[in-house]
Amino acid sequence: MKKIEHVAIMGAGAMGLGIAMVFLEHPEYQVTLYNRTLSNLEAAPDKIRAIAQSVNSTRCDLSRLKLAITVKDAVSDADFILESISEKLELKQQMFAEAEKYAPAGCIFASNTSVKPITSIAEKLADKSRMIGTHWWNPPYLIPLIEVVQT
């Protein structure tokens, strides 16, 4: 199994930002944050910095954060894609179908959903075996608990 070094976080909402901060606390990860709304994406580094400061984290290294406005830019060199977008099945399916076009063959796909069946999210993928669910508790930087669900 390939070592995970590059993580793409899809979605710069509260959960996506918190999850990005968790990965940025670990020097072995490069993190790319994707959001389709440019203003949310541009605000992300300051919001992550504020989260880190609120919990007195000195390990969160924003120099390893890259921002991406397209799915292709976000996932083209990812080892692990973690989706944390709106809880709309069609949006999740579309995002993963697009990611599958550009992500490397060994890349793992994960959804942070707590309500949508992982098999339904993976429905439009050619290779459904790469899809898992990783339900992070909220806030992810305070509650180190992740439920993992297989397809």
Side-chain angles (χ1 to χ4, degrees):
M1 175 181 271
K2 185 179 188 282
K3 181 179 175 186
I4 294 175
E5 296 175 338
H6 180 216
V7 178
I9 309 289
M10 311 304 279
M15 284 301 290
L17 295 174
I19 293 167
M21 194 209 98
V22 170
F23 280 105
L24 289 167
E25 287 188 314
H26 300 277
E28 64 269 28
Y29 299 117
Q30 295 295 316
V31 178
T32 299
L33 182 64
Y34 160 83
N35 202 80
R36 64 183 178 172
T37 306
L38 184 59
S39 59
N40 289 356
L41 194 61
E42 290 173 337
D46 288 338
K47 288 181 178 182
I48 294 169
R49 185 178 296 106
I51 293 168
Q53 290 172 346
S54 76
V55 295
N56 296 317
S57 172
T58 57
R59 299 177 312 185
C60 181
D61 182 1
L62 289 167
S63 71
R64 290 182 288 103
L65 177 67
K66 176 180 143 186
L67 304 178
I69 194 72
T70 68
V71 171
K72 181 180 180 180
D73 288 343
V75 306
S76 62
D77 61 351
D79 302 309
F80 183 74
I81 298 170
L82 196 150
E83 168 271 317
S84 186
I85 64 174
S86 176
E87 286 294 326
K88 294 180 180 157
L89 180 60
E90 300 79 23
L91 288 178
K92 291 176 183 294
Q93 289 173 332
Q94 290 170 358
M95 192 281 305
F96 279 115
E98 185 174 358
E100 189 174 38
K101 293 177 190 175
Y102 304 112
C107 182
I108 299 166
F109 293 0
S111 176
N112 184 49
T113 190
S114 61
V115 297
K116 304 290 183 204
I118 298 306
T119 52
S120 295
I121 294 170
E123 206 168 86
K124 298 189 182 207
L125 294 177
D127 182 1
K128 295 168 183 49
S129 71
R130 52 197 312 192
M131 184 80 195
I132 62 171
T134 55
H135 177 220
W136 295 59
W137 262 242
N138 191 15
Y141 46 87
L142 290 180
I143 304 173
L145 182 62
I146 304 167
E147 173 187 29
V148 179
V149 180
Q150 294 181 189
T151 51

